[in-house]
Amino acid sequence: MYSIGEFSLISKLSKKTLRYYDEIDLLKPCEINRDNGYRYYDEKQFILSKEILNYKNLGLSLDEIKKIIYNSNIEISKILNNRLLEIEDQIKILKLQEEKIRILVSGEYSNTEYNYNISFEKVEFKSGYIFKIKTNIKNNEYGKEIGYFYEKINKNNIEIISKHMMKIDLNREKNDLEIFAFSKNKNPYTEKFERCDAIKVLCENLEDKSIYYKSLFDYSKDNDINIKFIVEEYFVIRGKIRLNIYMCY
């Protein structure tokens, strides 16, 4: 057996971390001396520590790692697919930062002058059935919320026929929204989406999304349009993120 100090060195986990893992029942020692409380570990714990580190290096949370290791009914592929969605979202954010930095380096960025040729297109959202979840989303939790959305879709055997979209209610005080997608058929977990007209703009650069929103809202005021809600639809063209904004009325 190995003392906690020895095991700390061979497992690459600090003593503090090992004590914490013991407290949360993630990695318990094989023996604890009743007289002095010293923890001891063996080969089994060493193999387990390597498994934990491997999952941590993939960016999984301790709660997710615990589920994978100790819950035989858990579907590992779902947890890993959710992590992939988080990574994809992080890549999108990094790409936006890269684009902004390159613009700043090139000297082409102006903080006061805008030269946008924004075109407005009248479109129609046809009626149909949607699956949705409500969320008070935060920037660093976007990937997890999307992952949870698709996890619920798979769990409830819902066949979707569209990309996921974000619905924003402008009349609510809280910063909550809905993630939804159109489903192929009616389902106990779906609800009716009523037909509505919309004005669509294509946002070429997410860094300037506020300018596109301002143009949309100015357009609605100039044309006496009563906005019901906003829908955002993200997509990628040639490695660059684009955004369709729908002003539904």
Side-chain angles (χ1 to χ4, degrees):
M1 290 191 297
Y2 306 100
S3 69
I4 190 171
E6 293 170 335
F7 193 75
S8 174
L9 292 175
I10 64 176
S11 68
K12 299 180 182 179
L13 296 169
S14 69
K15 295 177 185 178
K16 182 179 180 180
T17 297
L18 288 171
R19 294 189 186 99
Y20 178 65
Y21 285 2
D22 182 13
E23 290 176 11
I24 65 174
D25 296 327
L26 178 60
L27 177 59
K28 299 191 75 66
C30 65
E31 182 180 319
I32 298 180
N33 188 301
R34 292 183 179 182
D35 296 328
N36 54 31
Y38 287 178
R39 294 168 171 85
Y40 293 93
Y41 300 82
D42 61 14
E43 289 293 332
K44 183 179 178 181
Q45 277 76 41
F46 176 69
I47 294 172
L48 186 56
S49 71
K50 295 291 107 179
E51 187 177 3
I52 292 170
L53 280 176
N54 286 337
Y55 284 127
K56 277 196 69 179
N57 289 335
L58 296 180
L60 298 184
S61 68
L62 295 181
D63 184 58
E64 290 168 328
I65 295 171
K66 189 175 178 181
K67 288 178 181 178
I68 291 174
I69 293 175
Y70 295 108
N71 189 345
S72 60
N73 296 322
I74 199 74
E75 292 188 33
I76 299 177
S77 61
K78 284 188 176 181
I79 293 179
L80 295 179
N81 282 328
N82 289 345
R83 177 56 185 152
L84 281 176
L85 289 172
E86 293 178 28
I87 292 172
E88 289 171 2
D89 187 57
Q90 292 167 1
I91 290 173
K92 290 177 183 178
I93 294 173
L94 290 173
K95 281 185 176 293
L96 288 175
Q97 293 175 350
E98 179 189 19
E99 290 174 12
K100 187 66 176 286
I101 290 173
R102 291 190 183 281
I103 291 173
L104 289 171
V105 170
S106 67
E108 297 176 2
Y109 177 78
S110 171
N111 199 34
T112 56
E113 296 180 4
Y114 301 96
N115 184 21
Y116 297 95
N117 184 20
I118 300 176
S119 59
F120 303 93
E121 178 184 357
K122 290 187 177 182
V123 297
E124 175 189 2
F125 268 107
K126 294 184 178 180
S127 62
Y129 291 96
I130 62 169
F131 174 76
K132 72 177 184 181
I133 62 170
K134 292 185 178 181
T135 178
N136 189 356
I137 207 164
K138 299 177 182 178
N139 289 336
N140 61 343
E141 296 177 348
Y142 178 81
K144 284 193 174 183
E145 291 295 324
I146 297 299
Y148 175 73
F149 175 74
Y150 282 103
E151 182 180 330
K152 296 288 285 186
I153 285 176
N154 294 331
K155 181 179 179 180
N156 297 316
N157 296 317
I158 299 170
E159 186 176 355
I160 60 173
I161 56 175
S162 74
K163 297 178 181 178
H164 67 266
M165 291 173 272
M166 319 288 282
K167 180 183 175 184
I168 305 168
D169 188 344
L170 300 177
N171 297 318
R172 298 180 71 103
E173 289 293 329
K174 294 183 178 179
N175 187 32
D176 53 359
L177 49 80
E178 294 176 359
I179 305 173
F180 75 95
F182 282 91
S183 63
K184 185 175 182 179
N185 301 305
K186 184 180 180 181
N187 183 292
Y189 303 99
T190 62
E191 64 180 59
K192 188 70 178 292
F193 183 92
E194 299 295 340
R195 176 207 168 277
C196 68
D197 294 314
I199 303 296
K200 182 182 83 170
V201 295
L202 170 61
C203 178
E204 298 280 356
N205 188 347
L206 296 193
E207 286 292 325
D208 299 324
K209 184 169 70 171
S210 61
I211 303 301
Y212 287 84
Y213 265 121
K214 183 178 185 304
S215 298
L216 262 178
F217 295 147
D218 289 345
Y219 180 91
S220 69
K221 297 179 190 308
D222 293 341
N223 293 274
D224 198 26
I225 296 175
N226 184 25
I227 305 173
K228 292 181 179 178
F229 54 86
I230 297 292
V231 171
E232 292 186 348
E233 180 185 30
Y234 293 86
F235 58 98
V236 178
I237 296 180
R238 293 187 295 274
K240 189 172 183 180
I241 305 170
R242 302 287 193 275
L243 167 65
N244 282 326
I245 303 174
Y246 299 90
M247 179 176 68
C248 301
Y249 61 94

